[in-house]
Amino acid sequence: MFSSSLSLPGRRTTGSSVRTQNVLAASSIANIVKSSLGPVGLDKMLVDDVGDVTITNDGATILNLLEVQHPAAKVLVELAQLQDQEVGDGTTSVVIVAAELLKNADELVKQKIHPTSVISGYRLACKEAVKYIQDNLTLTVDELGKDCLINAAKTSMSSKIISADANFFAAMCVDAANAVRVTDNKGQAIYPIKAINVLKAHGKSARESLLINGYALNCSVASQAMVKKITNAKIACLDFSLQKTKMKMGVQVLVTDPEKLDAIRQRESDITKERIQKILNAGANVILATGGIDDLCLKYFVEAGAMAVRRCKKSDLKRIAKATGATLLSSMANLEGEESFEASAVGEAAEVSTERICDDELIVIKGTKARTAASIILRGPNDFYCDEMERSVHDALCVVKRVLESKTLVVGGGAVEVALSIYLESFATSLSSREQLAIAEFAHSLLVIPKTLAVNAAKDATDLVAKMRSYHHSSQSKPEHVNLKWIGLDLMEGAVRDNRQAGVFEPAVSKIKSLKFATEAAITILRIDDMIKLDSEDKNTQSYQNAYECGQLDG
Amino acid sequence: MGVDRFTVEGLHKISYFRVKKKRNAKIFFGNAVTEEGELLEPNVTSTFQSVCHETIEMSGPIIVLSQNTKRESGKKVQIDNITAGKTVADVIRTCLGPRSMLKMLMDPMGGIVLTNDGNAILREITVQHPAAKSMIEISRTQDEEVGDGTTSVIILAGEVLAVSEPFLQQQMHPTLIISAYRQALEDAVTILRDQISTPVDVNDRSQLLSIIKSCLGTKFVNRWSEQACQIALDAVSTVVVDENGRREIDIKRYAKVEKVPGGTMEDSCVLRGVMLNKDVTHPKMRRHIVKPRILLLDCNLEYKKGESQTNIEIMKEEDFTRILELEEEYVQKTCEDIIRVKPDVVFTEKGVSDLAQHYLVKAGITAIRRVRKSDNNRIARASGATIVNRTDEIREEDIGTKAGLFEIKKIGDEYFCFVVECEDPKACTILLRGASKDVLNEVERNLQDAMNVTRNVLLEPKLVPGGGAAEMALAYALAEKAKSLTGVTQAPYRAIAQALEVIPRTLAQNCGATVIRTLTALRAKHATGGTTWGINGETGELADMKDLGIWDPLAVKLQVLKTAVETAILLLRIDDIVSGSKKKGGDSSAPAPGGAADQEAMRE
């Protein structure tokens, strides 16, 4: 049955056919996400085997949910995920560029140019391109003013479901990112966007999403009788449960005196009671615990006018602890072996209250002392909508963070790609080696982005790209036309325009990284000339399908 | 060499791309393509397996996606989604308005749901199509957010989708349609809020009653609407709590509906207090106490082992008896603790042992055991007691004294415990009586809607005219506004106005009026400034909603608009449905037939 010379059951493919195969697989992956690129890109609805629905426009999410089998295609899926982790945005474009690079490389290889030449050409082209972006195409935040932040966020959102409300959400994202700003010990400001808590609640409309200057916690108070609002809150964060003490791991207590038995039981509840007293004595009036809080303890909190919340997420508590200046205590033991609760472990906030949103309750901590915190509550007609909003907001937050940290931007709408393509073409002609061809192909591949953008908007791609190329050519050849390098696509009108004025910006880091990642991924796949695929182990179960495959049912 | 030979794997028709420069253009269909393959008979290539074998030497077809994945894209998806939305809307179209009919739904267990509540109906329906699922979700959202208008939201969303179809057919890009819809939604919300709505005085009881009445007018309890209105209003105004500036109305927790089959609807009432489906633990206990002192516990009144594992080694015989005594002593001690504060009634969430009962009876204390946590909370709110866990910590303040009467009554075959005549109860029980369980369930749903409406009005005291008048006024205002728009977005903008007319249209349809004539007349009325004119759902005639006194809360109408339009936007943006199976080798018997692409993901 197996024509290969391998001793293991499996099959081996070598030579140019494996390369072509890989390229085809990569292309079909790119084709899947192609239609979601750009401001007029549309969404995909993904349904899994239990019928759960995801509606998304995010390249990484789409590819993640597809069950991709082909190994080369998997490389592209991972590429999208890498981009998602590293940059957070631009996942679709990176896949499209990588696939296009591969396709063109395959053409070169078919013309009997050795893959290694192509690879070194690509490497060189990528290096040159990055250098060119950094030297000529970047803009700094100082040049553009504060609006560019909002514009960058808007550009990121423009392809998403919240595009119509981009103004609203962009401002929200910028505010949120600014709220969580911290200065690290080197004196540099960093923006840990993970500290922004994004909650979803269906109901109301997207426009009614809220940015809370504080921390919103998706829990409710342990007892109905507790107060709903505390001003000047003193917050204690506990990483243990306030339950009846019990011995761990099957420790047995052997008692000989029956009177002692009752004493043990008494002690069990007293230990917790004492702990609570200590916490309350330290001045805490909001107690957040990761573990449970026994019903029997609730009364003490109620009487003390304190708020107790059980089963908070640990990650939430860590952030709250940071924001309020509290210490997340994992136990109350101190160095003396006694139990104590230091007043210094208590954090402060101006107000803690429970809010009713939709049918749920949230605990909102406002005016935190140590650091400002931000939470975004997203509203929308149903869960799918909220999920997609969350992804879009996350992308936009990433973009804002990148811009704030690196302070450099490039112009979007295909401008960078066209400029690079023109530059690389002229650069290629300056080389006299084989790499020239590869670099020319690289330059050509970059044009796939403006082309796809135009095609998605149902505009004449060939015409528009030709126009853009001519503008960019003159900007690079004639010094007096240098400002033409900001020319990009206007997809609503189907024309070209100065995207710098239109305010279409992307973080430079994102563009550079996506170019690098795409090149690396293309090179990885290009280097393959042999594929060995082992058959799966469980051959002993002869199902109908196996029988069918083996041709036993034929004839 | 001519066109390269390739095979088409029939699973998906996705990729379409050109390979430039070289040779003649080739077109690949599908994600499984053999390159340099032998010329295969077209009929042989129709299944993947056969291709696989004959081309094993030359690289074979390339399988990129799992073969269990079904994929549909392009216009078909958009049209399918719209059809799915419309289908869902059609299911409950007849449930709108005062002349609406009930639906009887049978669940797989054989249970019956009898309702005309949009959410309750859709909850029971199992749908396959993902777009239909998201339609059903919005009904739930509506229910959770405002509690009413679950039918209208679905009908409106279905109609918004339906009016988009012609634009898609005319090759208009969805993003354009969407931006127009967004704009229209924004404008509609402002118009509704600023121009159509009227403020209401929440302290005016008769005005509130008329609002609730218009909500209940479409429901099963219509016949007893006077009484049901009173019940809903009383219940909600009982649970309102104003706590330093913020108003809290928690119907879910503090207004409990207890259904007792038997009697007539007229016997239903709101209790000034709480009722539980429990009897006293011991027959000798008192069943009628005026001004009871109430103690609430959430601990056992019986001996309970400690949490830690304790073993006792008994050396002496006396020790064994001592242990037994200890257990009794413990119960006695807890009872003494209780007796010391002299309560008349003890409610506990856990059990009460026979021994404890004995002590309590002797002290003349009535005990009720195994009370639900939520009930206990309600009694606490109504009587002013605090729930105590450890009996040695009971203090005088923990005792609730605000209740006026404790009694056990037998209704039908069961005993019920009433804690009523509370002064200023902040929690209440609504006692519903009626012919059968199914009827009661429906009445309960209606009451929930009515209470939610009341809550919405109390929280946001603004009203819009009902009976399709608000929608019609909105439609007229939007259509006027559309005239000032230039560009392609004008048409979809006007389509929203057109879609809004579905509400009065359905109202007219459901009561059997001549739809076209009525609607034209209504349109004419609105054009001449009669913004409060709508359709009288009983007679099908035009009427001024001001005179009829049919009003809806603004919050409900706003939520209907927002949810419906945003859902339509969500569904319109989709151009691709991938239904994939994450299970490996799901169905082994199906040898991936070539017609898999035609197999619709949608099995309605």
Side-chain angles (χ1 to χ4, degrees):
Chain A
M1 200 77 234
F2 302 105
S3 48
S4 67
S5 54
L6 288 174
S7 60
L8 284 167
R11 69 175 84 112
R12 179 171 174 213
T13 340
T14 47
S16 71
S17 74
V18 70
R19 194 165 295 118
T20 314
Q21 239 188 56
N22 287 343
V23 169
L24 277 173
S27 296
S28 63
I29 286 290
N31 271 326
I32 291 171
V33 289
K34 221 171 210 172
S35 74
S36 65
L37 184 78
V40 272
L42 292 174
D43 291 359
K44 313 242 172 266
M45 184 182 242
L46 302 151
V47 188
D48 73 3
D49 50 346
V50 280
D52 279 350
V53 180
T54 314
I55 298 172
T56 187
N57 180 280
D58 182 54
T61 316
I62 298 170
L63 294 180
N64 229 350
L65 289 170
L66 287 177
E67 205 187 341
V68 175
Q69 275 191 340
H70 197 276
K74 273 187 187 153
V75 174
L76 284 205
V77 174
E78 275 158 25
L79 172 68
Q81 279 162 11
L82 182 72
Q83 174 83 4
D84 195 33
Q85 285 161 10
E86 282 280 313
V87 188
D89 193 30
T91 48
T92 312
S93 51
V94 74
V95 171
I96 295 177
V97 171
E100 190 69 17
L101 284 175
L102 270 176
K103 214 161 81 184
N104 288 334
D106 191 44
E107 291 300 317
L108 285 180
V109 175
K110 276 187 187 148
Q111 291 164 27
K112 304 289 177 224
I113 293 173
H114 198 274
T116 47
S117 314
V118 180
I119 288 169
S120 65
Y122 273 14
R123 282 241 164 84
L124 190 60
C126 178
K127 218 168 82 192
E128 276 302 313
V130 170
K131 207 156 67 185
Y132 190 74
I133 294 181
Q134 277 163 345
D135 293 347
N136 291 308
L137 297 173
T138 51
L139 291 158
T140 59
V141 175
D142 308 329
E143 270 175 73
L144 294 162
K146 282 284 157 205
D147 281 351
C148 69
L149 265 181
I150 291 188
N151 281 332
K154 261 164 75 178
T155 311
S156 151
M157 281 177 203
S158 64
S159 65
K160 304 283 157 53
I161 198 158
I162 49 178
S163 59
D165 294 326
N167 278 328
F168 173 78
F169 282 102
M172 182 187 263
C173 288
V174 173
D175 286 348
N178 275 321
V180 293
R181 182 186 134 124
V182 278
T183 321
D184 66 1
N185 37 22
K186 281 182 221 131
Q188 266 189 330
I190 50 166
Y191 300 86
I193 49 149
K194 272 193 183 152
I196 301 168
N197 195 14
V198 182
L199 292 174
K200 297 166 281 181
H202 58 211
K204 292 263 171 67
S205 75
R207 196 57 74 89
E208 275 153 283
S209 302
L210 306 167
L211 172 69
I212 294 180
N213 277 322
Y215 205 87
L217 199 62
N218 201 359
C219 300
S220 69
V221 284
S223 160
Q224 290 313 306
M226 283 174 184
V227 281
K228 296 281 154 64
K229 189 174 173 184
I230 291 179
T231 41
N232 287 329
K234 304 263 186 298
I235 300 168
C237 300
L238 314 176
D239 191 17
F240 53 86
S241 42
L242 291 171
Q243 271 162 335
K244 262 193 182 173
T245 341
K246 88 187 199 196
M247 291 292 178
K248 301 257 165 60
M249 293 287 292
V251 173
Q252 292 195 345
V253 187
L254 212 57
V255 200
T256 41
D257 185 4
E259 307 281 339
K260 294 251 173 70
L261 196 64
D262 200 46
I264 290 176
R265 294 182 48 221
Q266 275 296 325
R267 192 69 202 130
E268 274 179 1
S269 20
D270 282 346
I271 290 176
T272 318
K273 187 184 168 188
E274 279 162 21
R275 280 189 182 165
I276 292 170
Q277 280 312 329
K278 272 177 193 147
I279 295 170
L280 291 175
N281 287 344
N285 53 14
V286 176
I287 291 92
L288 309 171
T290 50
I293 300 178
D294 236 338
D295 280 350
L296 74 119
C297 313
L298 292 179
K299 187 169 164 275
Y300 309 126
F301 292 118
V302 174
E303 276 169 2
M307 215 187 241
V309 184
R310 57 166 79 126
R311 309 238 176 265
C312 304
K313 264 191 265 155
K314 192 167 177 181
S315 53
D316 282 340
L317 276 198
K318 273 187 189 155
R319 286 184 215 148
I320 292 174
K322 257 189 204 154
T324 59
T327 329
L328 180 60
L329 296 175
S330 52
S331 89
M332 284 175 63
N334 59 11
L335 285 175
E336 283 85 50
E338 303 276 312
E339 289 202 322
S340 66
F341 192 83
E342 304 285 330
S344 62
V346 173
E348 285 182 57
E351 185 190 299
V352 177
S353 58
T354 59
E355 311 247 331
R356 180 178 187 263
I357 281 187
C358 188
D359 238 7
D360 262 336
E361 278 184 341
L362 293 180
I363 292 185
V364 180
I365 302 171
K366 279 184 190 156
T368 47
K369 275 284 145 60
R371 243 203 252 173
T372 47
S375 295
I376 295 176
I377 299 176
L378 296 174
R379 310 302 307 269
N382 53 29
D383 290 343
F384 315 134
Y385 200 98
C386 292
D387 288 344
E388 174 61 2
M389 273 164 76
E390 189 193 7
R391 281 187 286 270
S392 317
V393 167
H394 171 258
D395 282 6
L397 282 174
C398 286
V399 166
V400 172
K401 172 195 155 106
R402 296 286 161 208
V403 176
L404 281 170
E405 281 177 9
S406 70
K407 303 224 179 289
T408 47
L409 290 161
V410 292
V411 171
V416 172
E417 284 83 1
V418 176
L420 281 181
S421 139
I422 299 281
Y423 169 72
L424 287 176
E425 265 173 25
S426 60
F427 172 73
T429 44
S430 70
L431 288 179
S432 54
S433 59
R434 256 164 217 275
E435 277 82 29
Q436 187 192 49
L437 288 170
I439 293 173
E441 286 300 331
F442 191 97
H444 197 91
S445 307
L446 287 175
L447 290 179
V448 73
I449 295 284
K451 269 185 198 155
T452 314
L453 284 173
V455 167
N456 281 350
K459 306 290 183 220
D460 189 340
T462 326
D463 192 35
L464 283 174
V465 172
K467 262 190 201 147
M468 274 173 77
R469 277 169 64 91
S470 83
Y471 276 121
H472 280 272
H473 180 73
S474 62
S475 93
Q476 284 174 22
S477 53
K478 295 177 197 139
E480 68 270 23
H481 285 163
V482 72
N483 269 335
L484 288 178
K485 68 182 172 188
W486 312 124
I487 293 287
L489 287 169
D490 178 2
L491 294 168
M492 282 304 161
E493 300 298 323
V496 291
R497 66 169 170 192
D498 187 339
N499 268 348
R500 185 185 167 179
Q501 268 161 15
V504 180
F505 295 117
E506 286 172 60
V509 196
S510 151
K511 261 279 138 40
I512 292 171
K513 282 222 166 121
S514 83
L515 209 56
K516 280 184 184 162
F517 288 158
T519 317
E520 287 299 324
I523 289 173
T524 316
I525 296 176
L526 213 54
R527 288 187 70 89
I528 302 167
D529 77 333
D530 202 333
M531 186 170 75
I532 300 167
K533 196 174 169 192
L534 293 185
D535 292 343
S536 53
E537 289 282 334
D538 50 353
K539 278 281 169 187
N540 37 12
T541 49
Q542 272 282 345
S543 66
Y544 176 75
Q545 190 166 16
N546 279 341
Y548 191 94
E549 275 176 45
C550 298
Q552 289 172 5
L553 297 182
D554 289 354
Chain B
M1 190 177 181
V3 175
D4 261 32
R5 289 183 286 258
F6 59 89
T7 61
V8 176
E9 208 285 307
L11 269 182
H12 323 279
K13 297 197 181 73
I14 38 158
S15 43
Y16 169 85
F17 50 84
R18 275 163 188 274
V19 180
K20 57 171 182 56
K21 283 187 189 166
K22 212 190 147 195
R23 300 172 196 155
N24 298 335
K26 340 179 243 191
I27 300 162
F28 298 99
F29 278 104
N31 45 3
V33 182
T34 44
E35 185 71 359
E36 256 108 57
E38 284 298 310
L39 184 61
L40 297 159
E41 296 296 320
N43 53 355
V44 181
T45 63
S46 62
T47 62
F48 154 67
Q49 275 77 12
S50 48
V51 176
C52 177
H53 274 285
E54 284 169 64
T55 58
I56 202 155
E57 281 284 330
M58 4 325 150
S59 76
I62 304 161
I63 304 143
V64 180
L65 291 181
S66 157
Q67 290 167 64
N68 295 321
T69 318
K70 288 193 195 77
R71 188 154 176 250
E72 281 175 21
S73 54
K75 189 151 284 162
K76 182 172 184 310
V77 169
Q78 287 164 340
I79 303 297
D80 274 1
N81 281 347
I82 290 173
T83 322
K86 279 199 290 195
T87 318
V88 173
D90 278 340
V91 171
I92 56 170
R93 194 175 288 272
T94 58
C95 296
L96 190 79
R99 291 274 181 207
S100 68
M101 303 302 272
L102 294 192
K103 303 241 177 275
M104 189 182 234
L105 303 160
M106 203 119 109
D107 62 20
M109 310 296 290
I112 294 171
V113 180
L114 204 63
T115 184
N116 78 343
D117 181 79
N119 182 37
I121 296 169
L122 294 177
R123 210 170 39 200
E124 300 292 330
I125 296 176
T126 345
V127 289
Q128 285 282 332
H129 197 276
K133 267 187 197 148
S134 73
M135 286 287 284
I136 285 172
E137 280 263 316
I138 59 171
S139 169
R140 188 165 65 105
T141 309
Q142 179 78 16
D143 193 48
E144 287 180 5
E145 186 68 28
V146 288
D148 193 26
T150 49
T151 313
S152 358
V153 72
I154 295 280
I155 294 180
L156 190 58
E159 189 68 17
V160 172
L161 282 174
V163 292
S164 335
E165 196 174 337
F167 300 122
L168 292 176
Q169 302 283 20
Q170 290 160 23
Q171 312 286 345
M172 194 184 275
H173 200 284
T175 46
L176 271 178
I177 307 176
I178 287 164
S179 67
Y181 281 8
R182 268 271 162 212
Q183 186 56 40
L185 174 62
E186 258 346 271
D187 291 345
V189 168
T190 13
I191 292 170
L192 201 60
R193 200 185 286 275
D194 300 342
Q195 292 171 19
I196 302 176
S197 69
T198 46
V200 66
D201 180 13
V202 284
N203 298 318
D204 185 353
R205 197 177 159 87
S206 62
Q207 216 172 345
L208 280 182
L209 278 177
S210 75
I211 302 159
I212 307 170
K213 202 171 164 200
S214 69
C215 162
L216 287 177
T218 63
K219 307 276 154 72
F220 178 76
V221 284
N222 202 359
R223 271 190 291 158
W224 301 275
S225 73
E226 200 59 46
Q227 199 192 1
C229 293
Q230 300 279 0
I231 289 178
L233 186 53
D234 284 344
V236 175
S237 43
T238 308
V239 296
V240 176
V241 180
D242 276 307
E243 202 176 74
N244 44 21
R246 39 180 281 190
R247 180 167 260 188
E248 190 194 273
I249 305 175
D250 197 336
I251 299 171
K252 202 169 73 180
R253 288 212 183 94
Y254 298 120
K256 169 90 177 148
V257 179
E258 288 284 351
K259 297 159 284 185
V260 186
T264 58
M265 210 68 91
E266 281 81 18
D267 300 334
S268 310
C269 59
V270 180
L271 301 172
R272 284 184 63 78
V274 185
M275 185 199 82
L276 319 169
N277 186 3
K278 290 277 182 272
D279 192 8
V280 290
T281 45
H282 194 280
K284 285 250 176 66
M285 286 174 176
R286 286 187 291 163
R287 286 155 184 263
H288 186 98
I289 304 168
V290 183
K291 292 232 84 165
R293 286 164 59 82
I294 296 173
L295 175 64
L296 303 177
L297 295 173
D298 63 353
C299 61
N300 271 317
L301 290 181
E302 51 198 27
Y303 188 79
K304 194 175 167 280
K305 278 189 298 189
E307 295 276 330
S308 304
Q309 206 170 13
T310 39
N311 286 8
I312 314 177
E313 254 176 38
I314 307 167
M315 305 295 178
K316 294 173 290 206
E317 202 178 323
E318 306 82 269
D319 274 357
F320 186 68
T321 32
R322 181 74 197 117
I323 292 168
L324 294 179
E325 271 170 29
L326 264 177
E327 291 187 4
E328 280 175 21
E329 268 169 32
Y330 172 78
V331 175
Q332 193 183 356
K333 198 176 129 288
T334 29
C335 289
E336 275 164 7
D337 285 333
I338 293 169
I339 293 163
R340 201 177 316 125
V341 288
K342 301 192 199 64
D344 295 309
V345 192
V346 175
F347 290 92
T348 177
E349 286 172 30
K350 306 275 168 64
V352 178
S353 69
D354 288 353
L355 188 68
Q357 282 174 29
H358 166 76
Y359 287 121
L360 292 176
V361 168
K362 269 212 304 203
I365 298 171
T366 306
I368 308 266
R369 66 177 165 197
R370 306 208 190 283
V371 176
R372 259 178 294 165
K373 180 96 202 159
S374 53
D375 282 335
N376 218 5
N377 276 330
R378 268 192 289 279
I379 303 175
R381 278 258 287 224
S383 67
T386 319
I387 301 171
V388 184
N389 188 276
R390 292 175 68 171
T391 50
D392 47 347
E393 282 167 359
I394 303 173
R395 288 174 305 163
E396 181 56 33
E397 304 94 270
D398 298 334
I399 303 290
T401 52
K402 285 208 228 139
L405 179 70
F406 166 85
E407 65 174 335
I408 303 285
K409 273 201 257 182
K410 191 178 177 191
I411 304 176
D413 208 18
E414 281 183 272
Y415 290 95
F416 290 89
C417 158
F418 290 80
V419 180
V420 283
E421 291 173 24
C422 304
E423 27 178 305
D424 190 26
K426 286 286 169 222
C428 64
T429 301
I430 299 158
L431 178 60
L432 281 189
R433 305 301 310 274
S436 76
K437 197 100 195 153
D438 295 327
V439 172
L440 281 178
N441 281 338
E442 174 65 1
V443 173
E444 184 192 352
R445 275 191 289 272
N446 298 165
L447 261 187
Q448 293 290 6
D449 281 5
M451 287 196 288
N452 280 321
V453 165
T454 322
R455 186 192 64 196
N456 292 329
V457 176
L458 289 181
L459 289 177
E460 190 176 6
K462 276 196 163 179
L463 295 180
V464 291
E471 283 85 358
M472 209 60 204
L474 208 50
Y476 178 71
L478 285 182
E480 281 301 302
K481 227 172 170 162
K483 284 180 191 156
S484 65
L485 287 180
T486 49
V488 212
T489 49
Q490 192 194 24
Y493 191 97
R494 190 176 293 129
I496 288 286
Q498 193 195 330
L500 279 167
E501 288 182 7
V502 74
I503 302 283
R505 190 164 66 232
T506 314
L507 275 177
Q509 255 167 16
N510 285 352
C511 66
T514 34
V515 178
I516 296 173
R517 193 167 297 161
T518 321
L519 222 60
T520 324
L522 189 59
R523 234 176 263 150
K525 267 276 187 261
H526 278 271
T528 51
T531 47
T532 51
W533 281 75
I535 289 173
N536 181 343
E538 299 278 352
T539 57
E541 285 158 6
L542 295 191
D544 192 340
M545 289 300 139
K546 250 194 234 150
D547 302 337
L548 273 183
I550 293 186
W551 298 95
D552 281 329
L554 175 67
V556 173
K557 274 276 138 53
L558 281 182
Q559 186 62 41
V560 167
L561 265 178
K562 289 174 195 163
T563 316
V565 176
E566 285 193 352
T567 310
I569 289 176
L570 179 76
L571 292 180
L572 283 177
R573 276 186 65 95
I574 297 165
D575 75 334
D576 207 326
I577 297 184
V578 182
S579 36
S581 151
K582 295 263 164 185
K583 265 183 226 145
K584 299 278 177 214
D587 46 345
S588 54
S589 58
D598 307 328
Q599 254 179 22
E600 289 188 13
M602 175 173 145
R603 284 176 228 104
E604 279 186 9

